[in-house]
Amino acid sequence: MEILLVDDDQHSRAAVAWFLREQEHMVMECENAAEALAKWKLADYPLVLSDIQMPGMSGIELAQVITEQPDSWRTDVVLFTGYGDMKTAVAALRAGAYDYLLKPVDAQELAAIVQRVSEHQALLRENKALTENFDAQLQSATKNTEQELTRMRKMVAETVIGNMGVFSVSMQQVTDLAQRFHTDRALTVLIQGETGTGKEVVARIIHYGSNLKSPSGPLVELNCAAIPHNLFETELFGYEGGSFSGSSSRGQKGKLDAAAGGTLFLDEIAEMPPEMQAKLLRVLETKEYYRVGGLKKIKADVRIICATNVDLEKKMEEGAFRRDLYYRLKIGHIVIPPLRDRREEIVPLAKMFLREFAQTKRKGFAGISSQAGELLEQCDWPGNVRELRNAMDWVVFMYDDTELQPFHLEKVVQGCAIASQGEKSAGGTTEKQVILPLPDGGLSIKEYNDLIIQAVLDAHNGNQTATAKYLDMSLRALCYRLEQMRNRNAGKKEE
């Protein structure tokens, strides 16, 4: 809320201003009533907090002048003073003041009166808007209701969970955990996994649960990476009419409004701007929020599910993600393993997708040959389940057969990372065999360590972060060792 604070005592004014800003209010400070009156005429201040005893115009006189203005309804004046007696209090109320406080100002009393003013002003402005634009407001409300009903019907008509096959122990554990999280709407959930692993599908399982007939409220999705930073706050919280230039006069509901009674799914949460991370944390802790430019506090009856494909702990170390928000989101935690770590699922998933697209496109594919299955299992599928699904979509589009054969996959596997022949699959895990040379002239421990580091680095395609993690050493230590290796190799070349 926009608050105009008037006090000639700088220390007292600074203390009150700090407290109000901590409550997320916008505070304009003035040291005398004349300055405050000039600022009041230029902007909209729902609350004026003013001292009574000031040189020149007093706080009571300021309240009288504001009350006499045609648009005085848009401001409530609260007066405070260190010279409190019954006569002063009566004079303040007669001057049109909304309420009266004594110095030193008690923080709880101040917070309570600001909340009352916020609710009072919200009612005044809502009533005025309805009175002046009753027909337009009624038409808008009716249209919004019709749109919401249409959206709900479409949501029910569509496949809620989507095609998700569970063909491994690890994915069965993921779905079981998601079903358990469904039972507690107050629980925030963080889903982590690489791109294409099915984080959106898991979020739907958490929202709808196993009984799709039970009411679960709306599921509203917001991709944090797709929203410009300067629009993020209005997109999430909505805004009141006339809050900023170019805004709709009727205002706009945010995603939190739309998800009321249901679930808000924040995808790519790592891309949320830092200033919005603090505001999201406040919503999670207080279950309340304000629309942009709004005066009325709104209850946040919503389940929050977040998803990311990046390492949030690394983001915290870089200062790009709030540590307190991370641990608040991680109360419910699900990690979806990549498809290359559960290779036993590749062929069953491919068969499921193949039959799905064959039915949609009216093609004859019904199964997968053993040779084609082996070829599919050799791929690492960096795009995970989404990439596999898209591959089957392309195959069915290009061919019409009864069984998937290797020649159908020639184009598919060209751009696919193939597991090396040294890898052995067992229960969905892979082990890479590394053979190190043993020269006749002998090999020092330092050279042997260099060979191991280089072999692991090659196995991870030059990814230093993954290599350091595999070798259980810090990235800084690995970089230091690599620099030493380069220097030694350069020295050998010079010799």
Side-chain angles (χ1 to χ4, degrees):
M1 181 167 63
E2 299 281 349
I3 299 175
L4 188 61
L5 177 60
V6 194
D7 194 345
D8 61 324
D9 185 339
Q10 182 180 357
H11 297 292
S12 174
R13 187 176 72 244
V16 174
W18 175 85
F19 175 77
L20 292 173
R21 289 185 179 116
E22 282 294 302
Q23 302 299 310
E24 296 190 349
H25 298 291
M26 303 294 292
V27 182
M28 174 63 71
E29 297 181 49
C30 297
E31 62 181 8
N32 59 68
E35 179 188 356
L37 187 60
K39 291 184 181 299
W40 181 85
K41 292 179 178 178
L42 296 175
D44 184 8
Y45 294 100
L47 173 58
V48 172
L49 275 172
S50 176
D51 190 11
I52 291 181
Q53 300 293 339
M54 295 185 294
M57 183 186 296
S58 69
I60 291 179
E61 291 172 329
L62 175 62
Q64 289 174 331
V65 174
I66 290 176
T67 304
E68 292 169 359
Q69 303 302 312
D71 53 350
S72 61
W73 62 271
R74 65 183 174 88
T75 299
D76 287 326
V77 180
V78 174
L79 300 175
F80 52 82
T81 182
Y83 305 94
D85 58 6
M86 186 59 65
K87 187 180 295 185
T88 307
V90 171
L93 297 175
R94 284 178 176 174
Y98 179 81
D99 212 331
Y100 179 91
L101 286 171
L102 292 177
K103 283 186 175 181
V105 177
D106 182 80
Q108 290 184 346
E109 291 182 5
L110 178 59
I113 202 168
V114 169
Q115 178 64 26
R116 289 202 303 273
V117 168
S118 174
E119 295 172 355
H120 180 235
Q121 281 290 316
L123 286 173
L124 287 177
R125 292 164 189 248
E126 186 176 352
N127 289 339
K128 188 172 181 62
L130 286 173
T131 302
E132 294 177 350
N133 305 289
F134 179 77
D135 292 336
Q137 292 283 341
L138 179 62
Q139 185 177 1
S140 174
T142 303
K143 184 178 179 180
N144 289 339
T145 302
E146 291 174 350
Q147 290 176 344
E148 181 68 10
L149 287 172
T150 301
R151 189 188 66 80
M152 291 295 290
R153 291 192 189 101
K154 182 180 178 182
M155 180 185 68
V156 172
E158 292 175 346
T159 303
V160 171
I161 299 301
N163 252 338
M164 181 175 181
V166 179
F167 303 106
S168 69
V169 174
S170 59
M171 285 308 296
Q172 186 61 57
Q173 291 173 344
V174 167
T175 54
D176 289 346
L177 194 56
Q179 296 279 6
R180 188 178 302 176
F181 289 158
H182 166 75
T183 60
D184 188 354
R185 289 187 66 247
L187 197 71
T188 55
V189 182
L190 176 62
I191 307 172
Q192 290 186 278
E194 293 181 4
T195 298
T197 50
K199 297 185 291 294
E200 300 89 345
V201 177
V202 172
R204 285 180 171 81
I205 295 175
I206 296 171
H207 173 70
Y208 291 105
S210 58
N211 184 12
L212 301 182
K213 295 181 180 179
S214 63
S216 301
L219 172 62
V220 178
E221 301 182 20
L222 177 62
N223 190 320
C224 299
I227 307 299
H229 285 197
N230 60 328
L231 299 179
F232 211 106
E233 187 170 9
T234 56
E235 188 73 21
L236 185 61
F237 297 112
Y239 64 86
E240 295 293 343
S243 298
F244 51 89
S245 59
S247 62
S248 170
S249 59
R250 295 193 300 270
Q252 179 176 300
K253 290 184 176 181
K255 291 296 188 289
L256 280 169
D257 286 288
T263 299
L264 176 61
F265 175 48
L266 298 173
D267 200 7
E268 305 293 351
I269 187 64
E271 302 301 321
M272 178 175 282
E275 63 274 12
M276 289 304 303
Q277 293 175 23
K279 294 185 178 182
L280 175 61
L281 178 63
R282 188 173 183 85
V283 172
L284 292 174
E285 291 177 343
T286 65
K287 303 297 182 182
E288 296 174 331
Y289 65 96
Y290 289 97
R291 293 196 186 106
V292 175
L295 304 173
K296 186 178 180 181
K297 190 176 289 186
I298 302 171
K299 294 289 184 181
D301 176 24
V302 61
R303 181 211 307 268
I304 301 290
I305 302 176
C306 299
T308 182
N309 60 0
V310 303
D311 186 350
L312 285 184
E313 292 188 358
K314 183 179 178 182
K315 283 276 189 179
M316 287 192 300
E317 293 174 0
E318 296 171 351
F321 200 83
R322 291 181 64 99
R323 190 174 298 273
D324 47 5
L325 177 59
Y326 172 71
Y327 290 115
R328 185 66 178 78
L329 295 176
K330 203 181 175 183
I331 295 175
H333 191 209
I334 294 179
V335 178
I336 307 177
L339 189 57
R340 61 182 174 275
D341 289 346
R342 41 191 174 99
R343 293 184 185 273
E344 70 273 25
E345 289 198 69
I346 293 176
V347 172
L349 282 171
K351 187 178 295 185
M352 182 182 74
F353 296 140
L354 189 72
R355 290 174 176 174
E356 174 193 346
F357 290 118
Q359 183 178 5
T360 303
K361 294 177 170 57
R362 298 183 179 180
K363 299 291 183 74
F365 283 107
I368 299 176
S369 69
S370 58
Q371 297 88 343
E374 291 177 2
L375 192 58
L376 290 171
E377 287 180 339
Q378 288 178 7
C379 287
D380 274 345
W381 302 106
N384 293 290
V385 178
R386 183 183 295 126
E387 183 183 4
L388 178 62
R389 189 175 192 275
N390 291 341
M392 295 302 100
D393 189 7
W394 185 87
V395 168
V396 175
F397 171 75
M398 292 296 295
Y399 302 98
D400 188 4
D401 210 330
T402 57
E403 189 177 58
L404 186 69
Q405 300 293 337
F407 74 89
H408 294 138
L409 300 171
E410 288 180 0
K411 292 286 185 182
V412 172
V413 300
Q414 279 182 1
C416 181
I418 303 296
S420 66
Q421 294 181 355
E423 295 182 2
K424 295 183 178 180
S425 177
T429 61
T430 59
E431 295 181 358
K432 294 188 176 182
Q433 296 180 347
V434 178
I435 300 176
L436 300 178
L438 295 175
D440 295 335
L443 190 68
S444 69
I445 290 295
K446 186 178 294 184
E447 290 174 325
Y448 188 76
N449 288 340
D450 289 351
L451 289 173
I452 292 176
I453 292 174
Q454 189 60 53
V456 176
L457 188 65
D458 293 340
H460 288 89
N461 300 317
N463 188 321
Q464 294 184 6
T465 302
T467 300
K469 185 176 181 180
Y470 183 86
L471 293 172
D472 193 22
M473 62 193 304
S474 69
L475 182 59
R476 179 178 296 180
L478 175 64
C479 292
Y480 176 73
R481 294 294 297 272
L482 292 175
E483 182 65 26
Q484 286 185 320
M485 289 166 57
R486 283 192 289 268
N487 293 337
R488 281 195 290 271
N489 291 334
K492 290 179 181 179
K493 290 180 180 178
E494 290 177 0
E495 293 175 0

